[in-house]
């Protein structure tokens, strides 16, 4: 009787992207060699499963995977790719037909991402500015911004309040329209909630425009132009969601760059100056447990895609460049963590803030160390 030993990969990898595989638009040379080893050129003579987990984003997963495939010279499937806001797909069902305000990105990309997740009524700060330029008098919409702004839809949108459980309590049309129409007659107001994409520092608008809209929405309990109420006195405070906590990340400049975590700090500093305290928010992205749990499911799916219904090996290796997001998250997830020196982490800065299982010069050495560790 032939006993077929089910092929079960002895290990798998989760790769961070910026600072590990890429620096800005440039591919780190070791990246292609590392993936080549896992795609078959290894002592196990098998395809070692791997997925990509990044705090980047701002474009659709399909678009990012198309670009990554070209850069890395391997086919990157969307099923093996998780970016900062991919996890928001999980909540789209609750917001299928109700509007959310998505912040960040360039022109209309972040709306398109939200639509692709199932948020059919996603609005941007450009829509708000096109609806009422007085919201931020320091910016005149460019022709390109005017073309993508959806003012009519915004005016017709069903307003909502995001209650603090990310559930969406939608007033009956008449209630909210009455409230909004009466207020809009007086105050020019609209009611909605907030969600932020990963690339929150918009390429084409000053950051403080976004902070202005956030403060308007939050301080008026979901209505721009509505009366500002102390949050403690609001019936249903707006839910604020951030998708990328990175204070720093590695692009192609010599020193790490400020990421969305710096924007969050800027917003909270303004909010604290206005109200005396910071505003509560929900955080996704590495190193949050929600994001690592989501990535673990993705990895299990990838193993099944390659090998059928076999269990995910306990030997999961996370390769990252940022101790705060990659090493911290992997350690909490119970994975092995390998910190590379090609990104945010610089040995000259001393001991990393979170201790990795291993340190490697680059991603190729990281893969070789993991394989050697198993053989
Ligand atoms: O915006 C991207 C940056 O925050 C980090 O990306 O790939 O190092 O998680 P990554
Ligand atoms: Mg990185």
């Amino acid at each position: 009787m032939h006993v077929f030993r089910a092929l079960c990969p002895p290990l798998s990898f989760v790769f961070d992207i910026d600072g590990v595989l890429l620096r800005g638009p440039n591919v780190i040379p070791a990246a292609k060699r590392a993936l080549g080893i896992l795609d078959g050129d290894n002592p196990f003579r098998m395809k070692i499963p791997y997925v990509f987990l990044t705090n980047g984003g701002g474009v659709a997963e399909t678009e990012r995977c198309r670009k990554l495939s070209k850069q890395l010279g391997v086919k990157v499937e969307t099923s093996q790719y998780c970016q900062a806001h991919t996890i928001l797909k999980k909540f789209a069902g609750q917001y299928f037909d109700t509007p959310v305000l998505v912040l960040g990105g360039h022109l209309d990309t972040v709306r398109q991402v939200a639509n692709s997740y199932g948020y059919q009524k996603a609005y941007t700060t450009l829509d708000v500015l096109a609806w009422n330029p007085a919201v931020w008098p320091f910016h005149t919409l460019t022709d390109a911004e005017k073309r993508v702004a959806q003012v009519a839809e915004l005016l017709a949108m069903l307003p909502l309040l995001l209650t603090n459980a990310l559930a969406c309590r939608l007033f009956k049309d008449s209630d909210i329209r009455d409230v909004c129409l009466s207020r809009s007659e007086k105050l020019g107001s609209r009611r909605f909630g907030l969600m932020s994409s990963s690339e929150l520092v918009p390429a084409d608008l000053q950051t403080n425009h976004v902070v202005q809209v956030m403060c308007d929405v939050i301080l008026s309990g979901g209505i721009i132009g509505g009366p500002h109420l102390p949050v403690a006195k609001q019936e249903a405070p707006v839910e604020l969601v951030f998708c990328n906590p990175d204070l720093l990340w590695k692009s192609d400049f010599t020193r790490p760059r400020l990421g969305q975590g710096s924007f969050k700090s800027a917003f909270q500093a303004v909010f604290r100056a206005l109200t005396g305290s910071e505003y509560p928010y929900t955080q996704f992205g590495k190193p949050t447990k929600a994001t690592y749990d989501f990535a673990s499911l993705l990895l299990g799916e990838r193993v099944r895609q390659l090998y059928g219904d076999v269990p995910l090996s306990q030997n999961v290796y996370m390769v990252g460049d940022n101790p705060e997001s990659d090493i911290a998250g992997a350690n909490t997830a119970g994975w092995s963590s390998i910190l590379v020196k090609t990104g945010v982490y610089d040995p000259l800065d001393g001991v990393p803030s979170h201790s990795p299982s291993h340190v490697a010069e680059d991603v190729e050495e990281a893969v070789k160390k993991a394989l050697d560790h198993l053989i």
Side-chain angles (χ1 to χ4, degrees), residues 335-350:
W335 299 347
S336 298
S337 53
I338 308 181
L339 179 60
V340 295
K341 302 176 185 176
T342 50
V344 168
Y345 169 63
D346 181 341
L348 297 177
D349 295 340

Side-chain angles (χ1 to χ4, degrees), residues 15-22 53-58 64 81-84 198-200 244-251 257-261 286 318 320-322 325-326 344:
F15 288 116
D16 169 43
I17 297 178
D18 290 303
V20 173
L21 304 171
L22 302 178
L53 177 59
T54 175
N55 274 350
R64 188 70 203 275
Y81 176 75
C82 175
Q83 59 187 358
S198 72
E199 304 303 328
L200 197 65
N244 168 2
D246 283 355
L247 181 60
L248 295 172
W249 67 292
K250 185 70 176 176
S251 183
R257 301 296 74 196
L258 292 174
Q260 182 183 123
K286 298 178 290 183
M318 170 88 196
D321 69 301
N322 188 336
S325 58
D326 303 316
V344 168

